[in-house]
Amino acid sequence: MKQPTLFLSPRYTPDSRLMRDAAVAAGWQVVRLGTWTIPERVPPGPYVIYGETLFGRYLADHFKITLTDPGDTFLEELPEHLRRRNVRCTTAGEARNEEQRCFIKPVNDKTFRAAVFENGNALPATVENSEVVLVSEPVVFTCEFRFFVMDGKTRTGSLYARYGESEEEDATPEEFAEAQRIAEEAAAFVTGAVVIDTGYIEGRGWAVVEANPAWASGLYACDATAALAVIAEACGAAC
């Protein structure tokens, strides 16, 4: 099997450097684009993409790659015991009719900062009514974990926040085991390799925070080599 070529976006980040190092150690070729212009001559495929969502879609369209994505309604369609809160996927226009205090986040691109709003009409005026968003009741996650998941199993994971603030300390073994259990149970409701974030909701229990494309997700303290295998699978380049 040919070794893949990893494409990285022009945006330098600590995560992209870790992914570059993991790919080089695996014997892959790595192409860091200086701009969004793709050179006429590139190494042979298969191709693996890591970068921002728009960048990933741009390259996927160019190389005719089908990228794995958890889907807009993944969280809404999970069983209640995996959500432990009311969640609905809708448009920003519909969300603006929400009269209660609610948490709203963009589903696809980070066009506005996910936050708790006093009502739906408090959404920034710059957000187009057609944009797809998730609306949920406000809850407090006491801790949050990230897991790179493939074939229904977590390949690497780490704690990344406590009470919404970045956290670099290790989780307890009990916390990690529960967070991992929820991620693997939720993996049964998504097709392909993805990232699933889980955490503990204050007063309710362990639940899924959200799911994201592996090829556009940060590593936090996850193992880069294990994450690279999940990302490759998400790009159709199993290795």
Side-chain angles (χ1 to χ4, degrees), residues 114 157 183 198:
T198 65

Side-chain angles (χ1 to χ4, degrees), residues 11-239:
R11 183 172 173 236
Y12 279 82
T13 66
D15 286 345
S16 71
R17 289 191 284 271
L18 288 171
M19 296 308 299
R20 176 202 60 200
D21 293 346
V24 170
W28 297 16
Q29 296 194 66
V30 178
V31 176
R32 166 83 73 174
L33 295 182
T35 68
W36 279 35
T37 301
I38 302 171
E40 291 185 9
R41 294 184 179 181
V42 297
Y47 299 117
V48 176
I49 299 165
Y50 185 70
E52 308 86 78
T53 305
L54 288 176
F55 170 81
R57 291 178 182 151
Y58 169 70
L59 259 65
D61 182 64
H62 177 84
F63 290 123
K64 310 304 180 188
I65 297 172
T66 299
L67 299 174
T68 297
D69 190 295
D72 295 350
T73 59
F74 166 77
L75 190 59
E76 179 184 30
E77 294 174 353
L78 280 177
E80 195 281 333
H81 76 278
L82 292 176
R83 287 184 287 107
R84 297 190 184 276
R85 65 200 187 280
N86 295 322
V87 179
R88 62 190 176 95
C89 182
T90 185
T91 63
E94 288 294 325
R96 286 191 165 97
N97 295 323
E98 179 63 51
E99 298 179 353
Q100 303 298 318
R101 191 166 177 266
C102 57
F103 176 80
I104 307 177
K105 73 177 293 290
V107 169
N108 295 313
D109 304 316
K110 295 180 180 180
T111 54
F112 66 93
R113 182 176 177 273
V116 174
F117 296 89
E118 288 305 311
N119 53 58
N121 200 43
L123 269 174
T126 53
V127 180
E128 295 185 4
N129 284 335
S130 59
E131 179 164 351
V132 180
V133 299
L134 284 179
V135 180
S136 67
E137 58 177 310
V139 295
V140 175
F141 279 94
T142 64
C143 57
E144 298 171 66
F145 292 76
R146 168 148 296 178
F147 292 97
F148 284 78
V149 180
M150 182 168 64
D151 299 328
K153 298 294 182 182
T154 58
R155 301 309 171 101
T156 180
S158 73
L159 173 72
Y160 67 84
R162 288 195 185 277
Y163 290 95
E165 298 295 328
S166 297
E167 180 59 74
E168 296 182 355
E169 295 181 4
D170 291 336
T172 67
E174 294 77 15
E175 286 177 322
F176 191 89
E178 284 299 298
Q180 184 178 37
R181 177 183 64 82
I182 292 295
E184 293 191 345
E185 189 173 346
F189 297 91
V190 65
T191 301
V194 298
V195 159
I196 296 178
D197 295 342
T198 65
Y200 189 86
I201 298 179
E202 192 170 60
R204 299 191 185 188
W206 290 94
V208 173
V209 178
E210 63 181 2
N212 293 292
W215 44 269
S217 293
L219 291 175
Y220 295 112
C222 292
D223 179 78
T225 298
L228 182 63
V230 177
I231 294 165
E233 178 73 20
C235 296
C239 56

